[in-house]
Amino acid sequence: MAAAALLKEFMEALLAETGASHVAVLLHGEPQERTSMMLDSAGAAEAVPEFADDEAAWEFVAGTRQDEAQHDGCVQLASRDSDCVILRIAFGQILERPQPQGREAVERRHQPDIATAPASDGALWIGLRGAAGAERFAADVQSGLLSHVLMRLMWAVYHYAGLQQDPVTSLPGRTQLGVFARRAIAASRGKEQHLSLMLVNPDDFAMINHRYGRRQGDEALHQTAQYLKQHLRRTDGVFHYGGAVFAAVLPATDADQCRAAARKLRRALAKCRFVDDTVSLTFSIGAAVATADNLVALPDIEDRLSLQANAALNAAKLSGGARIVVADVDGSDQESGELLNPLTGIFAADTEKDYRNMLLLWETVALISTQAEPAKIAEDFVDRIAIGFRPDRAALFVLQDEKLAVLASSVRDETAPDGRGKDPALQLDAAATKLVMDTLSSGNPGRTRKRDAEDPGLTAYAVPLVARDTTLACLFLDARCERLRLDSSDIVFLNALATQMAVAMDRAELAARWISEKESESRQLREEVRELRQAVHHTRMVFQSSAMHSVMQTLHKVAPTDATVLIIGESGTGKEMLAKSLHDFSNRQDKPFVIFDCGAVAKSLLEAELFGHTKGAYTGADRASEGLIAQADGGTLFLDEIGELPLDVQAKLLRFVQEKQYSPLGSATSRTVDVRIVAATNRELQDEVGAGRFRADLYYRLRVIAVQAVPLRERTDDIMPLARYFQEKFSAQYQASPKRFSYEAEQKLLSYSWPGNVRELQHCVLRAVLTQDSEVLDAAAIEVFPDAAGGRAPVEHAAAAPASSAVPVTPTSFEAVNLQPHDDPWPALGAELARQVSHAVAQNRRRPVPLGRWLNDDIVLAAHAFSSNVVRRAAKLVGVPDSTFRRQLDKATADAVDGVQNRPAHWQPVKPLIRRVIEHASTAHGDQENLLDRARDALLDCVHVEIDSQTSAGAALMGVTPPTYKRWLHAREQLQ
């Protein structure tokens, strides 16, 4: 049974046996050993006054007459309260024990074991309130009837006291020290006696822990505790103060007696051997003495004793160790009369040393925070140590190929301005070499002294730099004793400093290795980035809406077959991506996926591009071409904007779709290929069939499986996943900083109808990534516009712009021009273009600016902005197919990112004229002319007039290659 539970059980039984309302049990192990006194109580009533608390119990026990205290029977004593009874039961009455003899008596004298304690020592005190059966209980004890029960109580109390002892030293701790000191102070005041507090600490104790391990260190502490108890008086209290420091309270001891006891104790401890009788230690002792007057006059005498004993111990250790310092409670040394520094630790007792250590710490912090090179860190560290400690030589040594190498050095040089110099080849004698090698191998600091006639009094120190359980280097210092005298606190400080520098050097080394690895990875990454830039223009299906899940399920089902698929949907809904996904899901995924934009090729060339041609099949066919169908053999042919095909080409395509056979243009031989057809359109082909613009048989042959591309406004769950995907894609493509959308920006994206569908969202995110520098894309970065076709727009945009006006937000800004609303803007644009050409030729004849490229891009961007970013309406306004305009728009946007979009100031008058051309075109009825071709021809005329036959310069001004420039000129001459 646990000791505390046994004690509680005994007190409850005592209450029941005696009929008492309260019981207090006091165990006093030895008459004058106060540390053994334990007090506990039980019961609801008020306690016996003599045992109300520890102080009252001690005063009562100490004041009991000796004749009563030495009685071996059960004695009943008077209490101040008439309702209370006090019983004292001597230990010898409970159990007679044999006395230990010889060495056993010495070794076990102070063990908390009742079976080995002297029979006459100690007593059990019991205080009872309202105990009707107290006399009967005393009689039972006297007759021996309760001896067994009381013996178990003794065991319980002793074990209970053992719980408060330090498990390593078996001594009471700081709490018990405070209780004992207060009782001793109270007793000394009453007797007008002196009192001393002694602190004992082994010098270089850390060496045992470092070199031999923690277990041997604990054993050494236990041995020291036993020696202290053997060589101090039994009336003295011995305690574990903390760490490797022991405390002893010496009642009735003045300064001379304290110093004599300390000397006797130090001599005895110096003879002790530790670690299996192989190691001896020296001890430092600091003590504080309080006179009888101090005990009475100073209310904080307990704190003063502790403070000055600490200061005395610190002074003993700072003076080199193995010393005794006894101080008064006012802080003065009993021998020298000098005041002791009450601070403990390495910053104490020496102002110059304190300043040096603080300065070194500050410079070390600065060094660690500013330097990144390991060699530079080592050099600066050695320089600072040399300046702070002023050795003859200081160096950092490392092991290289099992030989010592100097990492950094500093030597005394009287001829140098600062008294220091460098010695990269610093040579050590045999003793110093062994010292450094031992320190590097063991990781423990060391010291050696060389005394001979040649160089007397030379002292060397070695301090390891340890990081991650590895000794990286060794700091070596040497000098004559009068120049370099390091005490234990200096070694502690150097150890702490070396540890910090080791961590800094280790991190610097790791950083250098990391940089080297990153440079290697960077070369590989640059290659991967080039591949990424090629692949980043390809996208993937990003969705989470149920509508798109349904579409993708359909594609999965039909992908393994060869059925022809027709994808129907608005511009920008991702019809091409659906076709590519169908190809990837099919068994043809490793074969070609060929795209043919039916609206991007001139009608006269459609058949040749699609089916191929033989050499000489038409004018300019100087060589044969296999065509896109042949290129797609085994794979998938995607016919984008199938509604743009002329009727004659539709007839030839129908034959191929039905029979998988075709004849190249100019050839009478049929060819058979294995190609799957996937077509896409943004038109209602049934209406086209009714209008006679599309063959009904081809329509039904293509519409074996029809897939509807869902507009973005009908799958709002996909808006944010797509926006985040585009943001990540463009950030990687254009090396922009990582960005994210704010809550307001997300709400703005979700509230817009996106008439331009996914393509409009893609361009919107591209604009935000390119124009915003912050990591958070807020609502202002999201530029969306009212939908003239009736779609929804954000509330703030709808309120900010009049319903009758467009909101042209583009990379360019337009200014007002002096034209009437119904004037034809083309003459004014032609005149301005002529002025631009003349200016460009005059400014730079060697490298003309690409006016043609600027003009084409600005028309595309202006039309896109004027049409509220709806590609279909912009393409119709410019007079080109949707797919053609989309490619032109992507090219213009890429030019803006690459810097080609940057225009000089003299180009600005062109922009408002372009805007007027687009506005004028929007009022035209019927088929819209091709604005890009007309503007190109106008500029071409100006260039040709200005430079005449200079083909290279003309091509540069138009932003094209010389063959293209010559072809354009030839076409203009044919028209004229």
Side-chain angles (χ1 to χ4, degrees):
M1 181 179 295
L6 182 61
L7 182 61
K8 182 179 180 181
E9 178 184 315
F10 173 78
M11 287 190 294
E12 291 177 351
L14 196 60
L15 288 171
E17 177 69 20
T18 62
S21 58
H22 188 278
V23 60
V25 175
L26 173 67
L27 173 67
H28 191 198
E30 298 184 15
Q32 295 179 344
E33 188 178 354
R34 295 152 201 171
T35 55
S36 66
M37 192 176 73
M38 301 299 301
L39 177 67
D40 207 345
S41 60
E46 183 180 354
V48 177
E50 286 77 6
F51 300 136
D53 52 37
D54 286 346
E55 293 298 329
W58 170 245
E59 291 179 0
F60 174 73
V61 172
T64 303
R65 294 199 311 271
Q66 292 297 316
D67 56 345
E68 295 178 350
Q70 293 175 357
H71 198 285
D72 285 338
C74 180
V75 179
Q76 181 171 328
L77 305 175
S79 172
R80 295 197 302 268
D81 193 332
S82 59
D83 191 36
C84 297
V85 175
I86 298 175
L87 301 177
R88 179 188 179 277
I89 307 170
F91 285 0
Q93 178 66 20
I94 300 171
L95 182 64
E96 293 293 338
R97 291 146 296 178
Q99 299 296 316
Q101 301 294 328
R103 183 176 180 181
E104 181 183 4
V106 174
E107 292 181 350
R108 306 190 63 182
R109 175 184 298 174
H110 293 281
Q111 295 292 328
D113 185 348
I114 194 171
T116 60
S120 60
D121 291 343
L124 174 66
W125 302 73
I126 301 176
L128 303 170
R129 177 177 290 278
E135 294 183 1
R136 179 168 48 84
F137 174 78
D140 290 339
V141 172
Q142 191 71 29
S143 64
L145 295 177
L146 294 179
S147 295
H148 180 69
V149 175
L150 293 179
M151 183 185 69
R152 294 188 65 193
L153 173 62
M154 295 301 100
W155 275 104
V157 175
Y158 268 118
H159 283 289
Y160 187 70
L163 295 177
Q164 302 183 50
Q165 293 177 340
D166 176 63
V168 174
T169 63
S170 298
L171 292 178
R174 291 282 288 272
T175 302
Q176 285 73 34
L177 170 62
V179 174
F180 185 88
R182 287 191 294 273
R183 292 172 178 166
I185 290 170
S188 297
R189 282 173 181 164
K191 299 178 181 180
E192 297 183 354
Q193 294 176 337
H194 298 288
L195 179 71
S196 298
L197 173 63
M198 182 188 298
L199 297 182
V200 182
N201 177 228
D203 301 319
D204 301 324
F205 174 77
M207 176 269 297
I208 293 182
N209 274 336
H210 284 300
R211 183 171 297 179
Y212 301 103
R214 182 65 179 272
R215 188 183 65 81
Q216 291 288 358
D218 290 349
E219 179 62 27
L221 288 178
H222 183 76
Q223 287 180 253
T224 302
Q226 299 308 309
Y227 292 145
L228 289 174
K229 290 165 63 176
Q230 291 176 18
H231 292 89
L232 289 174
R233 299 172 301 183
R234 296 179 61 189
T235 56
D236 300 331
V238 183
F239 303 88
H240 179 226
Y241 192 75
V245 180
F246 300 89
V249 180
L250 285 63
T253 304
D254 59 19
D256 293 336
Q257 294 171 329
C258 179
R259 186 174 293 104
R263 288 171 180 167
K264 177 183 176 182
L265 180 61
R266 189 162 64 87
R267 286 194 299 269
L269 291 172
K271 298 177 182 179
C272 299
R273 306 284 290 180
F274 303 93
V275 190
D276 301 325
D277 292 335
T278 60
V279 176
S280 60
L281 294 174
T282 60
F283 286 80
S284 294
I285 299 177
V289 180
T291 65
D293 293 338
N294 294 145
L295 294 174
V296 175
L298 300 176
D300 58 343
I301 187 62
E302 181 184 345
D303 294 335
R304 286 177 177 250
L305 279 169
S306 178
L307 181 65
Q308 296 308 324
N310 270 285
L313 177 62
N314 188 47
K317 296 187 70 65
L318 289 176
S319 62
R323 272 199 61 191
I324 298 172
V325 176
V326 180
D328 293 327
V329 291
D330 62 1
S332 59
D333 189 335
Q334 282 279 338
E335 291 185 347
S336 65
E338 298 178 356
L339 290 177
L340 299 178
N341 192 329
L343 298 178
T344 58
I346 61 175
F347 298 109
D350 191 331
T351 303
E352 182 180 356
K353 184 181 295 187
D354 286 350
Y355 178 77
R356 179 202 66 188
N357 291 347
M358 285 296 296
L359 185 61
L360 278 172
L361 282 176
W362 177 260
E363 291 178 343
T364 300
V365 171
L367 173 62
I368 293 174
S369 62
T370 57
Q371 295 294 345
E373 295 292 333
K376 184 63 175 175
I377 291 176
E379 182 179 350
D380 288 354
F381 175 58
V382 170
D383 287 345
R384 284 165 169 77
I385 292 295
I387 293 172
F389 286 88
R390 301 184 183 89
D392 289 345
R393 298 186 297 177
L396 267 183
F397 286 97
V398 294
L399 275 179
Q400 291 181 355
D401 300 328
E402 299 184 355
K403 295 182 179 180
L404 289 181
V406 179
L407 195 60
S409 66
S410 176
V411 298
R412 183 181 296 277
D413 184 359
E414 303 297 344
T415 63
D418 58 353
R420 307 297 304 182
K422 304 293 182 184
D423 185 4
L426 187 68
Q427 298 295 322
L428 302 180
D429 59 21
T433 300
K434 183 177 184 304
L435 173 67
V436 174
M437 293 293 289
D438 289 346
T439 299
L440 285 171
S441 61
S442 66
N444 296 319
R447 180 178 67 177
T448 183
R449 291 183 180 178
K450 179 180 179 182
R451 290 188 174 91
D452 55 33
E454 183 179 328
D455 192 1
L458 185 67
T459 303
Y461 298 88
V463 180
L465 275 68
V466 181
R468 296 188 297 159
D469 297 329
T470 301
T471 305
L472 304 180
C474 172
L475 173 64
F476 173 82
L477 308 173
D478 72 347
R480 291 174 176 82
C481 292
E482 64 271 15
R483 291 181 180 174
L484 183 66
R485 187 185 299 274
L486 303 184
D487 57 33
S488 57
S489 68
D490 292 321
I491 300 300
V492 171
F493 175 75
L494 281 175
N495 268 320
L497 207 61
T499 299
Q500 297 303 315
M501 294 310 303
V503 172
M505 293 177 61
D506 184 50
R507 289 179 178 174
E509 184 66 32
L510 291 176
R513 193 182 311 162
W514 179 84
I515 290 173
S516 177
E517 293 174 355
K518 289 304 175 184
E519 288 178 351
S520 176
E521 293 176 3
S522 180
R523 291 190 292 269
Q524 180 180 356
L525 181 60
R526 282 194 292 269
E527 182 62 29
E528 294 176 355
V529 167
R530 284 194 291 270
E531 298 176 1
L532 173 63
R533 287 177 174 172
Q534 296 175 356
V536 78
H537 294 286
H538 302 286
T539 185
R540 60 184 176 87
M541 296 303 297
V542 177
F543 63 92
Q544 63 182 28
S545 64
S546 58
M548 282 303 297
H549 275 290
S550 177
V551 171
M552 298 305 292
Q553 286 177 356
T554 301
L555 295 181
H556 274 286
K557 290 178 182 178
V558 304
T561 70
D562 290 332
T564 304
V565 178
L566 178 63
I567 303 175
I568 306 167
E570 301 174 5
S571 295
T573 52
K575 297 187 291 296
E576 182 179 324
M577 284 306 305
L578 290 175
K580 184 65 170 65
S581 298
L582 179 66
H583 173 75
D584 293 339
F585 296 155
S586 71
N587 300 327
R588 303 172 181 265
Q589 58 184 344
D590 297 330
K591 301 297 182 179
F593 178 76
V594 179
I595 302 174
F596 180 64
D597 192 338
C598 303
V601 182
K603 295 181 179 180
S604 60
L605 300 177
L606 276 172
E607 185 177 353
E609 288 288 327
L610 186 58
F611 298 102
H613 61 82
T614 62
K615 181 178 181 180
Y618 57 89
T619 302
D622 54 351
R623 57 185 177 183
S625 173
E626 63 179 2
L628 295 179
I629 289 179
Q631 294 177 18
D633 189 15
T636 302
L637 176 64
F638 175 55
L639 301 174
D640 195 11
E641 304 299 342
I642 190 69
E644 303 288 340
L645 280 179
L647 288 172
D648 56 338
V649 180
Q650 292 180 27
K652 194 168 184 179
L653 179 62
L654 175 63
R655 177 171 177 262
F656 170 71
V657 172
Q658 291 177 337
E659 302 175 6
K660 294 294 191 294
Q661 291 184 346
Y662 72 98
S663 298
L665 186 64
S667 174
T669 305
S670 296
R671 298 182 182 180
T672 302
V673 293
D674 176 22
V675 175
R676 181 178 192 168
I677 301 296
V678 179
T681 181
N682 60 0
R683 299 185 180 184
E684 289 293 340
L685 289 186
Q686 284 184 320
D687 296 342
E688 297 295 307
V689 170
R693 293 189 292 269
F694 201 86
R695 294 178 61 99
D697 47 2
L698 178 60
Y699 169 67
Y700 291 116
R701 189 65 187 86
L702 292 174
R703 194 185 173 103
V704 176
I705 302 293
V707 176
Q708 183 69 47
V710 185
L712 189 56
R713 62 180 174 274
E714 296 180 9
R715 51 185 182 108
T716 55
D717 290 346
D718 296 336
I719 292 176
M720 288 314 303
L722 283 166
R724 295 188 185 100
Y725 168 72
F726 290 138
Q727 173 264 314
E728 293 174 359
K729 170 185 173 182
F730 294 135
S731 294
Q733 181 176 356
Y734 299 114
Q735 298 181 357
S737 60
K739 302 178 186 299
R740 61 181 177 85
F741 294 100
S742 67
Y743 174 78
E744 293 76 11
E746 292 184 1
Q747 294 305 307
K748 195 170 185 178
L749 290 170
L750 293 172
S751 64
Y752 185 56
S753 63
W754 302 108
N757 292 298
V758 178
R759 187 173 295 113
E760 184 183 3
L761 174 62
Q762 179 181 3
H763 292 160
C764 176
V765 175
L766 173 62
R767 244 188 336 269
V769 170
L770 295 180
T771 59
Q772 297 296 311
D773 296 330
S774 62
E775 294 184 358
V776 178
L777 299 178
D778 54 17
I782 308 301
E783 297 179 357
V784 293
F785 314 104
D787 182 9
R792 295 173 295 133
V795 175
E796 58 270 22
H797 276 254
S804 61
S805 64
V807 184
V809 180
T810 67
T812 61
S813 60
F814 300 101
E815 303 169 358
V817 293
N818 189 19
L819 290 173
Q820 298 300 318
H822 300 292
D823 290 349
D824 185 2
W826 283 103
L829 178 60
E832 181 58 29
L833 291 177
R835 191 182 71 83
Q836 292 290 331
V837 172
S838 299
H839 183 274
V841 172
Q843 291 293 321
N844 196 342
R845 289 184 175 271
R846 293 185 178 180
R847 298 182 61 186
V849 292
L851 301 179
R853 192 169 181 180
W854 292 354
L855 180 63
N856 188 89
D857 288 355
D858 283 354
I859 292 174
V860 170
L861 292 170
H864 188 240
F866 186 85
S867 303
S868 300
N869 290 6
V870 180
V871 173
R872 185 174 183 180
R873 292 202 296 272
K876 184 177 180 180
L877 183 62
V878 175
V880 297
D882 294 2
S883 56
T884 301
F885 184 86
R886 183 165 59 249
R887 277 191 290 274
Q888 294 277 6
L889 179 63
D890 291 341
K891 176 175 170 294
T893 305
D895 286 349
V897 175
D898 295 338
V900 182
Q901 185 64 25
N902 297 333
R903 309 287 192 259
H906 66 77
W907 179 259
Q908 296 305 314
V910 179
K911 296 180 178 180
L913 292 171
I914 292 175
R915 170 64 184 274
R916 287 304 306 273
V917 166
I918 293 172
E919 290 177 347
H920 187 265
S922 67
T923 62
H925 299 284
D927 293 337
Q928 175 64 48
E929 67 177 333
N930 190 320
L931 300 184
L932 297 177
D933 288 349
R934 183 172 178 178
R936 181 198 67 195
D937 292 342
L939 179 61
L940 186 64
D941 290 340
C942 299
V943 171
H944 183 59
V945 169
E946 184 71 24
I947 66 172
D948 195 11
S949 60
Q950 299 179 35
T951 303
S952 297
L957 285 168
M958 296 301 297
V960 295
T961 62
T964 301
Y965 176 73
K966 289 193 293 184
R967 187 171 69 249
W968 285 354
L969 285 179
H970 180 71
R972 290 292 292 168
E973 292 172 358
Q974 294 295 326
L975 290 176
Q976 294 174 356

